[in-house]
Amino acid sequence: MQIRFIRTLRLPESGTHALPPGLGEFPLRRVEDHPDTVPSEWLAKGGVMLPVYLREAMWLSFGGTRTPAALQVGVGKVCAVSGERWSGRLARTPQNYTVLPRQPWLDGINSGDGTVRQFVAVPLGLGATVEGQVTGEETTGGVQLQVFPLGPEALARWRRAEAARPVPPPAPAQGGGLYGAPPGPAPTGGGFGGPVPAPMAAPPAPAGPGAPRGAGPGGRPGAPAAPAMGLGVGGSMRQEVYRDERPLSDWAGEPSARVFVHLVTPPAWRRITGEDPPPSPVDRAAYTRAGLPWFDYYDDSAADLAPTDVLGGVKPVGEWLGDDHTPWAEPAPGQVKPLGNAPRPGSPVQDGDW
């Protein structure tokens, strides 16, 4: 499976809106490739990092799934689907994972009734993150991903059913070809201007006695701490988080892979990697005035998860950072494109202790 972090338009915090477009991928870099410039605690956690602006919005695109998978998405080690604290196990009451490939993307935390609240980047320490509002602390930040495969018997049943299924004609590209396509030249490599997937790393064996975590090659410590970023919520959009139709026992009891995604401010990104971050996000009013598309995804064969009380009480980042004064213009008729009913390998990513 592949997970891509997609830049997008930030929605107003009032009202419920269509799905915003993809405006290209966030660049991803492995933490272990920068042992002398990342903070030492990042080396201990391993994973990847990406640059994000204050109040910039993002969504997660899922693709390349060859067999069914259960994916947990944590924001500051709070489940984006259930609102529960991060867990090493799958749960059904409430469901704390999404099922791939049925779930094509995730734009925010589950707010139920066919909606999610958009992921928006904010610094730790203000209380604006989902982590801060749910747990009362802001100590983790970032995004956590963990995937569970089907167990051997369930996988064998699925393969038999797939072998017996008639081969359908090719379907139009979705997600990477429509929802994720940035304005301008046609994207390549499945969309998003040449994807760099976030590879999932298999959980490592525990370090032996006397083997400290968090040192770079040759025991070199990492750089001083960088500004910590996490995810809060912004506006509401029409998107369902689908209920799993399989019994929980179909899934493996242990994750097959996981990765910690660090969110980096643009100045810290430049210092750590020596690269310039992407330009500041496009203005949404200019995007809409240009007649570019918004999207609406519908799957009449799936059931939406009900909201949880915990995530229902999360307030938008404007409560902490002030009102959003960015101009807003509703898409004109015909700008909202209906979707629905409708892989590039990367280097292994080092997992760590988180």
Side-chain angles (χ1 to χ4, degrees):
M1 59 179 293
Q2 295 175 337
I3 300 173
R4 301 168 185 160
F5 289 80
I6 310 300
R7 307 183 79 202
T8 190
L9 300 174
R10 181 164 49 88
L11 298 175
E13 293 179 356
S14 60
T16 300
H17 307 278
L19 298 174
L23 301 176
E25 287 190 53
F26 287 93
L28 291 173
R29 300 292 179 265
R30 301 192 310 169
V31 168
E32 63 198 89
D33 290 340
H34 302 274
D36 296 322
T37 52
V38 298
S40 57
E41 61 268 25
W42 293 14
L43 289 171
K45 293 177 180 177
V48 296
M49 55 186 169
L50 63 84
V52 64
Y53 289 85
L54 174 66
R55 267 189 166 178
E56 185 172 6
M58 68 171 63
W59 54 273
L60 278 60
S61 172
F62 309 134
T65 309
R66 298 179 181 273
T67 59
L71 175 70
Q72 291 182 315
V73 178
V75 286
K77 295 183 77 171
V78 172
C79 178
V81 175
S82 69
E84 301 289 324
R85 290 178 183 256
W86 184 257
S87 169
R89 296 288 185 270
L90 300 179
R92 186 60 62 79
T93 52
Q95 182 175 315
N96 65 353
Y97 59 95
T98 62
V99 178
L100 279 56
R102 163 146 276 176
Q103 190 79 37
W105 39 65
L106 186 65
D107 287 58
I109 66 169
N110 176 31
S111 47
D113 301 323
T115 67
V116 299
R117 300 297 299 272
Q118 189 174 41
F119 291 134
V120 176
V122 288
L124 303 189
L126 300 177
T129 62
V130 177
E131 175 187 2
Q133 295 188 58
V134 171
T135 70
E137 300 177 330
E138 290 182 312
T139 59
T140 303
V143 178
Q144 298 76 41
L145 304 169
Q146 184 165 262
V147 65
F148 292 76
L150 286 173
E153 294 183 6
L155 180 60
R157 290 196 305 271
W158 178 83
R159 285 177 170 159
R160 288 194 296 269
E162 287 297 298
R165 188 191 306 273
V167 178
Q174 296 191 8
L178 290 173
Y179 179 33
T188 60
F192 318 121
V196 181
M200 303 288 279
R213 304 296 294 270
R220 292 173 296 182
M229 299 283 284
L231 291 180
V233 302
S236 175
M237 71 189 77
R238 291 182 288 275
Q239 182 180 94
E240 295 178 323
V241 180
Y242 297 126
R243 187 172 64 231
D244 187 10
E245 298 173 351
R246 292 181 175 85
L248 193 61
S249 58
D250 275 8
W251 299 107
E254 298 291 333
S256 59
R258 66 176 199 162
V259 65
F260 194 107
V261 183
H262 305 264
L263 305 182
V264 185
T265 64
W269 176 265
R270 187 177 291 108
R271 177 183 60 78
I272 291 170
T273 67
E275 305 172 22
D276 287 332
S280 183
V282 68
D283 175 77
R284 65 191 179 216
Y287 179 94
T288 300
R289 283 197 304 270
L292 296 168
W294 295 71
F295 301 91
D296 187 18
Y297 184 86
Y298 179 69
D299 185 344
D300 59 6
S301 64
D304 181 41
L305 285 177
T308 65
D309 292 338
V310 174
L311 292 181
V314 174
K315 298 178 180 179
V317 299
E319 296 278 341
W320 283 262
L321 302 180
D323 292 337
D324 180 1
H325 298 295
T326 306
W328 167 246
E330 287 288 346
Q335 270 187 276
V336 179
K337 308 298 183 184
L339 303 175
N341 283 347
R344 255 174 63 178
S347 300
V349 176
Q350 178 181 339
D351 188 21
D353 183 10
W354 47 272

